Amino acid sequence: MASTITSASVTHIPVWFQKEVGKNAYRDNIGLCQSEWLVRLKADSGHEGLTLGNRFVRADDGSIGALLEMLQERVIGLSIDDLLSVSGGVVSGPGSGTASLFGDHPWLSNAAFDLVGRESGVSAIDLLGGRVDQAGGREPDP
């Protein structure tokens, strides 16, 4: 039987210097982002998936309460097997019924990769097709 997501939590992480989690590659965000909002999804198997909920919380109508309500309504109870469509060990797209969820909240796909990878015992890099060297060839796992 597939594991299901049973709970979600949101943790505030104060940021005093550069954006510490999920750093923007184009700027340092010094002084722009004083908070990170870490979302943790827990499955009945004991596995957890992590992502940042900053985009939701910083939206015009976003709040921690609204974030938790959305997670309760749209994420709690989902089967891990239904989060992503995996073919040959590589993710080929959103799972059955999650396309609209990830369309509305693309940041949640990070937690999906985390959960699916932990559940199947592989890294998120492997779910994306594996490591690639600068010449475009596949690198062996370390």
Side-chain angles (χ1 to χ4, degrees), residues 42 47 78 127:
K42 294 183 182 180
H47 294 113
L78 289 176
L127 289 173

Side-chain angles (χ1 to χ4, degrees), residues 45-108:
S45 62
H47 294 113
E48 298 179 350
L50 304 174
T51 190
L52 290 177
N54 296 350
R55 288 180 186 240
F56 188 98
V57 174
R58 292 190 181 122
D60 292 336
D61 58 348
S63 70
I64 301 304
L67 173 57
L68 288 169
E69 182 179 324
M70 182 277 295
L71 293 170
Q72 182 66 39
E73 291 174 3
R74 299 190 66 186
V75 177
I76 303 300
L78 289 176
S79 170
I80 304 295
D81 290 345
D82 292 339
L83 292 175
L84 300 170
S85 178
V86 180
S87 175
V90 177
V91 171
S92 58
S96 62
T98 58
S100 67
L101 173 65
F102 296 146
D104 295 342
H105 308 289
W107 51 270
L108 272 173

Side-chain angles (χ1 to χ4, degrees), residues 88-133:
V90 177
V91 171
S92 58
S96 62
T98 58
S100 67
L101 173 65
F102 296 146
D104 295 342
H105 308 289
W107 51 270
L108 272 173
S109 65
N110 295 337
F113 272 87
D114 203 6
L115 273 169
V116 170
R118 291 173 192 269
E119 195 75 14
S120 46
V122 299
S123 70
I125 291 172
D126 291 333
L127 289 173
L128 290 167
R131 299 175 197 276
V132 177
D133 64 22

